[in-house]
Amino acid sequence: MANIKSLVLFGWLAAAVLSGYAADTYTVGDDLGWTRPPLGEVAYQTWARVKDFDVGDTITFSWSGTHNVAQVTKEGYDNCNATGNLLIGQVQTVSPYNFLINSTDPYYFICTVPEHCTNGQKVTVQVRSWSAAAPSASFSSVFFAIAASTFIFASLFY
């Protein structure tokens, strides 16, 4: 009987610990989507500033009409230029486009349709380092692990 309780609690413990590291999906601009923002680049700057991006998260660019998305270097971002070595990968022309964050480096994205980037259709995604992300994601998991371990050991020995 104690072994069954232990296995069940171990399963809950494992699920709790792993759930602290679940990846998130973010839609660029939330309800605004990926478009020429009415107030310029401040819309996407504000959107990105309040998000906690981590490795493993997905960024979704969703648009209608004539838009695209290009990952570029910092220089390409600053100059709204996705030509030559300023472009990373290919210009994405099909919406929605999902981008998987796979490092803690900053990512720079622009729309290459003429005048869209210069009118603010660009976003920088700053990814948290593992040391910054781990404490907030794992505190409740650690607390649960200690409580569950105490219960498991008590069940085994009493």
Side-chain angles (χ1 to χ4, degrees):
M1 180 67 161
N3 287 338
I4 293 173
K5 284 183 186 177
S6 298
L7 288 173
V8 169
L9 287 174
F10 179 76
W12 286 348
L13 171 65
V17 169
L18 293 175
S19 71
Y21 298 101
D24 292 315
T25 298
Y26 297 95
T27 299
V28 175
D30 291 327
D31 291 337
L32 178 63
W34 184 238
T35 191
R36 288 171 59 176
L39 299 176
E41 69 183 281
V42 69
Y44 292 119
Q45 289 173 344
T46 303
W47 173 83
R49 190 176 306 121
V50 299
K51 305 297 184 202
D52 291 325
F53 301 109
D54 295 313
V55 171
D57 288 347
T58 299
I59 307 296
T60 300
F61 293 83
S62 185
W63 66 86
S64 59
T66 306
H67 299 290
N68 60 42
V69 63
Q71 183 184 358
V72 294
T73 64
K74 171 86 165 88
E75 181 182 350
Y77 179 86
D78 290 340
N79 297 304
C80 290
N81 186 341
T83 59
N85 63 354
L86 301 178
L87 176 65
I88 300 171
Q90 298 180 336
V91 176
Q92 303 299 316
T93 59
V94 177
S95 176
Y97 168 64
N98 295 312
F99 179 83
L100 178 64
I101 296 174
N102 59 18
S103 79
T104 57
D105 296 329
Y107 293 94
Y108 304 96
F109 300 96
I110 66 173
C111 180
T112 67
V113 174
E115 298 184 25
H116 286 205
C117 179
T118 56
N119 286 316
Q121 193 173 356
K122 61 185 191 173
V123 65
T124 301
V125 173
Q126 295 285 348
V127 182
R128 294 188 301 175
S129 67
W130 286 107
S131 60
S136 64
S138 63
F139 175 75
S140 62
S141 298
V142 170
F143 179 77
F144 181 80
I146 292 169
S149 297
T150 303
F151 183 78
I152 289 171
F153 290 124
S155 297
L156 291 174
F157 297 110
Y158 295 103

